[in-house]
Amino acid sequence: MDTRQLRSFVAIAERLHFREAAESLSMAQPTLTYQIQSLENSLGVTLFERGNRRIRLTDAGAVLLVEA
C-alpha cells in the first residue's frame, strides 16, 4: 500500500463514483480502477461493493477511510 493508492481510495470513497474521482485526480479511470484492485489485493479485502452504476463502501472500506 502506498500513498498514491490511499489518495485514490479516498477520492473514490468521498465521491462514490470512479469517473468523478479519476477526473479529480487527473488520471484515466482504468488506471484508478487498477490502483484500487491492487490495493484490495494487497490488503486481502474488498473496499467497495460495485453494482449497476452504484458503488458503496464495505465495512472494511469504511474502516480504511477513517484511518486514511
Side-chain angles (χ1 to χ4, degrees):
M1 172 174 28
D2 62 34
T3 56
R4 179 177 39 101
Q5 290 173 320
L6 282 177
R7 189 173 35 242
S8 296
F9 166 75
V10 170
I12 298 168
E14 289 176 343
R15 292 163 182 80
L16 294 177
H17 200 281
F18 275 81
R19 182 183 51 78
E20 290 176 10
E23 288 175 0
S24 75
L25 295 166
S26 299
M27 69 172 55
Q29 183 177 343
T31 303
L32 180 60
T33 299
Y34 176 78
Q35 284 182 2
I36 296 305
Q37 288 172 339
S38 177
L39 178 60
E40 288 175 327
N41 289 337
S42 70
L43 295 174
V45 297
T46 301
L47 299 171
F48 296 100
E49 288 183 10
R50 296 155 175 91
N52 293 357
R53 298 184 181 234
R54 295 180 58 112
I55 65 168
R56 73 176 196 90
L57 285 171
T58 61
D59 291 340
V63 170
L64 182 60
L65 181 58
V66 170
E67 296 300 317

